[in-house]
Amino acid sequence: HVQLVESGGGSVQTGESLRLSCEASPLPFSINCLAYFRQSPGQERKLVAHIFTMGGSTWYDASLRGRSTISLDKSKNTMFLRMNNLKPEDTAMYFCAAARGNCDTVGQMHYWGQGTQVTVS
Protein backbone atom coordinates (compact mmCIF):
# COMPACT_ATOMS: atom_id res chain seq x y z
CA HIS A 1 0.00 0.00 0.00
CA VAL A 2 1.22 3.50 -0.90
CA GLN A 3 0.30 6.46 1.29
CA LEU A 4 0.22 9.90 -0.33
CA VAL A 5 0.38 12.97 1.89
CA GLU A 6 -0.27 16.35 0.34
CA SER A 7 0.64 19.85 1.38
CA GLY A 8 1.13 23.32 -0.06
CA GLY A 9 -2.35 24.55 -0.85
CA GLY A 10 -3.69 27.88 0.32
CA SER A 11 -5.38 31.14 -0.54
CA VAL A 12 -3.54 33.46 -2.92
CA GLN A 13 -4.19 36.45 -5.12
CA THR A 14 -4.47 36.34 -8.89
CA GLY A 15 -1.02 36.20 -10.45
CA GLU A 16 0.71 34.64 -7.47
CA SER A 17 2.34 31.21 -7.30
CA LEU A 18 1.98 28.06 -5.24
CA ARG A 19 3.93 24.84 -4.97
CA LEU A 20 2.01 21.72 -4.06
CA SER A 21 3.82 18.72 -2.56
CA CYS A 22 2.88 15.06 -2.48
CA GLU A 23 5.03 12.69 -0.45
CA ALA A 24 4.71 8.99 -1.23
CA SER A 25 5.36 6.41 1.46
CA PRO A 26 6.76 4.22 0.07
CA LEU A 27 7.40 4.84 -3.62
CA PRO A 28 7.95 1.34 -5.00
CA PHE A 29 9.17 0.51 -8.49
CA SER A 30 5.68 -0.76 -9.25
CA ILE A 31 4.40 2.83 -9.36
CA ASN A 32 4.76 3.94 -12.96
CA CYS A 33 3.14 7.34 -12.85
CA LEU A 34 2.23 10.12 -10.43
CA ALA A 35 -0.40 12.73 -11.18
CA TYR A 36 -2.33 15.74 -9.98
CA PHE A 37 -6.06 16.02 -10.47
CA ARG A 38 -8.29 18.89 -9.46
CA GLN A 39 -11.97 19.09 -8.65
CA SER A 40 -14.27 22.07 -8.24
CA PRO A 41 -17.65 21.81 -6.48
CA GLY A 42 -20.19 20.11 -8.69
CA GLN A 43 -17.61 19.12 -11.29
CA GLU A 44 -15.78 15.93 -12.13
CA ARG A 45 -12.23 15.31 -10.99
CA LYS A 46 -9.93 16.31 -13.84
CA LEU A 47 -6.34 15.36 -14.64
CA VAL A 48 -4.09 18.42 -14.84
CA ALA A 49 -0.54 17.03 -14.89
CA HIS A 50 1.42 13.81 -14.60
CA ILE A 51 4.98 12.55 -14.47
CA PHE A 52 6.40 9.11 -15.13
CA THR A 53 8.60 7.82 -12.34
CA MET A 54 11.06 6.23 -14.77
CA GLY A 55 12.38 8.70 -17.31
CA GLY A 56 10.55 11.69 -15.88
CA SER A 57 8.45 12.55 -18.91
CA THR A 58 5.61 14.95 -18.13
CA TRP A 59 2.23 16.03 -19.45
CA TYR A 60 0.08 19.06 -18.69
CA ASP A 61 -3.52 19.92 -19.35
CA ALA A 62 -3.91 23.01 -21.52
CA SER A 63 -5.19 24.93 -18.49
CA LEU A 64 -1.77 24.66 -16.78
CA ARG A 65 0.60 24.23 -19.70
CA GLY A 66 3.21 26.95 -19.92
CA ARG A 67 2.80 28.21 -16.37
CA SER A 68 3.26 25.06 -14.31
CA THR A 69 6.00 22.53 -13.63
CA ILE A 70 5.59 19.04 -12.26
CA SER A 71 8.66 17.32 -10.86
CA LEU A 72 9.72 14.32 -8.81
CA ASP A 73 12.46 14.29 -6.18
CA LYS A 74 13.20 10.60 -5.81
CA SER A 75 15.55 11.19 -2.88
CA LYS A 76 12.50 12.43 -0.94
CA ASN A 77 9.81 10.33 -2.69
CA THR A 78 8.05 13.62 -3.25
CA MET A 79 6.25 15.04 -6.27
CA PHE A 80 5.86 18.78 -6.70
CA LEU A 81 3.51 20.91 -8.78
CA ARG A 82 4.62 24.50 -9.13
CA MET A 83 1.84 26.73 -10.49
CA ASN A 84 2.59 30.29 -11.55
CA ASN A 85 0.33 33.15 -12.58
CA LEU A 86 -2.60 31.61 -10.76
CA LYS A 87 -6.11 32.52 -11.90
CA PRO A 88 -9.49 32.34 -10.14
CA GLU A 89 -10.42 29.42 -12.41
CA ASP A 90 -7.56 27.44 -10.82
CA THR A 91 -9.56 27.39 -7.58
CA ALA A 92 -10.22 23.74 -6.72
CA MET A 93 -9.31 20.86 -4.46
CA TYR A 94 -6.10 19.33 -5.80
CA PHE A 95 -5.48 15.61 -5.38
CA CYS A 96 -2.29 13.71 -6.04
CA ALA A 97 -2.50 10.11 -7.15
CA ALA A 98 -0.30 7.17 -8.10
CA ALA A 99 -0.77 4.46 -10.70
CA ARG A 100 0.92 1.18 -11.58
CA GLY A 101 0.04 1.80 -15.23
CA ASN A 102 -0.79 5.01 -17.03
CA CYS A 103 -2.14 8.21 -15.48
CA ASP A 104 -4.81 9.24 -17.95
CA THR A 105 -8.05 8.77 -16.02
CA VAL A 106 -9.39 8.69 -12.48
CA GLY A 107 -10.10 4.98 -12.90
CA GLN A 108 -6.47 4.18 -13.65
CA MET A 109 -5.17 5.54 -10.37
CA HIS A 110 -4.54 3.12 -7.52
CA TYR A 111 -3.74 5.47 -4.65
CA TRP A 112 -4.95 8.96 -3.71
CA GLY A 113 -3.86 11.73 -1.43
CA GLN A 114 -6.27 13.49 0.89
CA GLY A 115 -6.44 16.64 -1.23
CA THR A 116 -5.31 20.19 -0.67
CA GLN A 117 -7.42 23.28 -1.34
CA VAL A 118 -6.22 26.03 -3.67
CA THR A 119 -8.21 29.26 -3.66
CA VAL A 120 -7.35 32.14 -6.00
CA SER A 121 -9.13 35.47 -5.66
Side-chain angles (χ1 to χ4, degrees), residues 1 3 8-9 15 21-22 29 33 39-40 44 52 74 77-78 80 84 86-87 93 107 109 119 121:
H1 180 76
Q3 183 179 18
S21 300
C22 175
F29 290 120
C33 186
Q39 187 171 23
S40 302
E44 294 186 351
F52 285 96
K74 289 188 176 181
N77 287 351
T78 301
F80 300 98
N84 300 316
L86 283 161
K87 307 172 183 179
M93 184 72 79
M109 312 311 293
T119 302
S121 60

Side-chain angles (χ1 to χ4, degrees), residues 33-76:
C33 186
L34 297 168
Y36 271 101
F37 292 74
R38 69 185 183 189
Q39 187 171 23
S40 302
Q43 302 206 1
E44 294 186 351
R45 196 168 294 189
K46 177 185 176 182
L47 176 68
V48 292
H50 70 58
I51 184 167
F52 285 96
T53 57
M54 298 297 290
S57 61
T58 60
W59 174 90
Y60 301 90
D61 179 73
S63 62
L64 291 189
R65 196 173 300 141
R67 59 187 180 96
S68 300
T69 303
I70 191 169
S71 59
L72 175 62
D73 185 338
K74 289 188 176 181
S75 70
K76 299 178 181 179

